[in-house]
Amino acid sequence: LRTTLLFLSPTDLYTAPDSCEGRCGEPPSPEDECHCDTECERHHSCCQDFHWHCPPEGFSRSWDAITDEDLLRLSEQLYQVDHNKAQPSDITINPQHQAAPEETGDQEDLSPQPLYKYVNEKLFSKPTYASFIKLLDNYQRVTGREEEVTPEELREQDTFLKEVMKTELMKNLFAFLQKKNRYGSEQEFVTDLKEMWFGLYSRGSGERDSSGFEHIFSGRAHTSGTGGAGQHRAGGLTPGSRFCPGEVKKGKVSGFHNWIRFYLLEKQGMVNYFSHNFDGPWDTYPDVLGLQFTWDGFYKEVGSAFIGCSPEFEFGLYTLCFIARPGRACHLSMGGYSLSIQTYAWTKSTYGNGKKYIATAYVISP
C-alpha cells in the first residue's frame, strides 16, 4: 500500500509557494519555502510579503487559517456526500499485472485484457457526468496549438459548473471556504472556478494552448520538444515517494488523471492498458490506481487516478487542495485511509488580481 513513484521535481515549470497570500496562520511545514504562521518572525522564516498579507488583524485571524485538521475533516465529509459515485455493481475492473519498479518504464504491455470489464453507463446520464463528458472533446490533444473556445464550449463550461454546484459535495466545499473567508458569495466562487480551471495559458511556444481542466482531466500528447514543462523522469517505486504527474518528453502523455476519460477512450480502442503499479486500500469506490498505458501510441509511465468517483468529487478535492496547499502535499482522509494530493500553480501568467491558474493536480502517497 505504500509503493508509489519517484519523479524529478518540475522546477522548470512550477515553483513552490513563496507568498503568504491565503496562507496566514497556516501551520509551518518543512515542504514550504517560507512560512506565514505567528512564530515565523521569531524563527526568521517568514515570506517576504508576510506583513503585507498578514497584518495583526484581519485575515491572520487563526480561524481563517485552513489547518491540517480542517483538511482531514472536510475530505472525509466530502467523501461521505459523494452521492453520485459508482456503486460496487456499477464498475468491474481487471487490473491484471502489477508492475515492479523496474518495469514501469519498459513500455511493455503486460496485461492482455482491458482495464475495464464493465461500466454501467447509466452513470453517465447523471447531470454532472453528462456535462463533464461534453467538455472532454473541447480540446486539441497536442501542445502548441492555440485553443479556440467557441460560444458553445463556454456554455458547456457554465453548465458543468452549474451542475456541480447543485451537489451537496460542492455546496459543502463552498460553505467551508466561505467560512474561512476565501469567498464572499457563491457567485464569486463559481467565477473564480471558471478562471482557475478553464482559463487558457501557454505550455508550448506562446500559444494559449492549455488549461488546468484540460491537462488534468483530458490529457495531452507531446509530439516534440518538452512542451515547455521541463523534463520529468519516472524512477523506482519506494516507500514514501510519489506518483509521477505526467510525462512531458517527446512522444509522452501529460496529465490525464480521469477514470471516465480513460474508460471512454479504452472503449474506442484508443487507450491500451499495460499494467498498474499501485492499487489503493479502498474496497469500494472511489478507489485509487496507479497505471501504465498508451494513448493512441503515446506512453504514460505512471498516472494516478481516482476510480469510480463522481466528477464533482475530483473537481472538489483538487480545488480544495489548490486553494489550501498550492505547490505542496495536501494531506487528506478518505474512508479512514490517508490520501495526499499534489497541486501546482501555473507561474508564468495570472488572471484577475494576480491569481494563478491551476497547472496540475494528482494523487500521491500519504
Side-chain angles (χ1 to χ4, degrees):
L1 299 180
R2 296 177 142 214
T3 56
T4 48
L5 185 75
L6 283 168
F7 68 93
L8 295 183
S9 178
T11 53
D12 292 348
L13 179 58
Y14 311 115
T15 57
D18 57 0
S19 168
C20 283
E21 183 176 3
R23 293 177 53 204
C24 299
E26 182 181 281
S29 167
E31 297 171 334
D32 298 337
E33 291 183 2
C34 56
H35 302 127
C36 308
D37 62 297
T38 55
E39 297 294 309
C40 71
E41 289 185 290
R42 186 164 66 87
H43 295 295
H44 305 289
S45 62
C46 297
C47 298
Q48 289 186 355
D49 59 0
F50 172 74
H51 291 287
W52 175 261
H53 290 293
C54 309
E57 297 179 357
F59 184 72
S60 61
R61 297 172 303 179
S62 61
W63 56 82
D64 282 340
I66 298 177
T67 67
D68 292 343
E69 291 73 22
D70 286 334
L71 292 172
L72 294 174
R73 183 168 54 251
L74 180 62
S75 55
E76 279 291 357
Q77 184 184 58
L78 299 183
Y79 176 75
Q80 295 300 325
V81 299
D82 186 15
H83 303 308
N84 286 328
K85 68 182 177 183
Q87 299 303 308
S89 60
D90 288 328
I91 300 177
T92 304
I93 60 173
N94 184 18
Q96 300 166 82
H97 182 78
Q98 182 161 2
E102 63 274 11
E103 292 179 316
T104 59
D106 289 348
Q107 302 194 29
E108 183 178 354
D109 186 355
L110 299 170
S111 301
Q113 302 300 317
L115 174 61
Y116 288 94
K117 294 180 70 173
Y118 170 75
V119 171
N120 177 9
E121 294 193 9
K122 290 182 179 179
L123 282 171
F124 302 158
S125 65
K126 293 176 180 284
T128 58
Y129 284 79
S131 57
F132 174 82
I133 290 170
K134 281 184 178 294
L135 293 168
L136 295 176
D137 65 358
N138 289 352
Y139 302 101
Q140 302 184 60
R141 71 176 191 180
V142 180
T143 297
R145 296 180 184 174
E146 180 95 15
E147 292 287 354
E148 296 182 7
V149 182
T150 66
E152 180 183 1
E153 290 171 354
L154 290 173
R155 286 193 296 270
E156 289 173 353
Q157 294 172 10
D158 291 337
T159 298
F160 172 71
L161 292 170
K162 182 177 75 173
E163 293 299 340
V164 297
M165 287 307 301
K166 291 178 182 177
T167 66
E168 184 178 357
L169 188 152
M170 289 296 289
K171 287 186 181 297
N172 286 359
L173 175 59
F174 166 67
F176 171 81
L177 293 173
Q178 185 181 43
K179 183 180 178 182
K180 291 295 183 178
N181 206 27
R182 297 313 195 266
Y183 298 98
S185 67
E186 185 172 310
Q187 185 55 54
E188 182 187 352
F189 179 46
V190 172
T191 299
D192 197 40
L193 286 174
K194 187 169 183 177
E195 289 288 347
M196 178 194 308
W197 279 98
F198 296 104
L200 293 174
Y201 48 82
S202 173
R203 286 182 186 264
S205 55
E207 305 290 345
R208 289 174 10 115
D209 61 355
S210 188
S211 68
F213 185 93
E214 177 197 19
H215 177 85
I216 295 163
F217 295 116
S218 184
R220 276 216 171 240
H222 295 268
T223 56
S224 62
T226 64
Q231 294 293 323
H232 297 190
R233 178 179 62 84
L237 290 163
T238 56
S241 55
R242 300 176 179 180
F243 287 113
C244 180
E247 293 298 328
V248 296
K249 292 178 289 187
K250 184 176 181 179
K252 299 287 187 177
V253 176
S254 69
F256 199 144
H257 297 287
N258 179 255
W259 75 270
I260 301 169
R261 172 74 160 162
F262 190 100
Y263 165 74
L264 293 174
L265 289 177
E266 187 177 60
K267 183 181 176 182
Q268 297 173 33
M270 295 181 66
V271 164
N272 182 21
Y273 170 70
F274 278 22
S275 56
H276 71 286
N277 66 301
F278 177 86
D279 190 354
W282 297 274
D283 55 8
T284 186
Y285 297 116
D287 196 359
V288 177
L289 204 64
L291 57 160
Q292 294 72 50
F293 61 91
T294 57
W295 173 20
D296 201 21
F298 297 94
Y299 188 62
K300 179 78 170 181
E301 186 163 340
V302 175
S304 59
F306 288 107
I307 308 293
C309 67
S310 69
E312 60 265 30
F313 180 80
E314 277 186 287
F315 191 72
L317 278 194
Y318 291 154
T319 297
L320 170 65
C321 286
F322 183 64
I323 292 171
R325 300 289 186 269
R328 54 211 191 279
C330 176
H331 303 299
L332 310 176
S333 181
M334 200 170 87
Y337 292 101
S338 296
L339 175 80
S340 298
I341 287 173
Q342 179 76 42
T343 66
Y344 286 107
W346 183 259
T347 62
K348 296 182 179 181
S349 57
T350 60
Y351 68 91
N353 188 23
K355 289 189 173 184
K356 293 183 173 64
Y357 302 103
I358 187 167
T360 194
Y362 52 91
V363 180
I364 60 175
S365 62

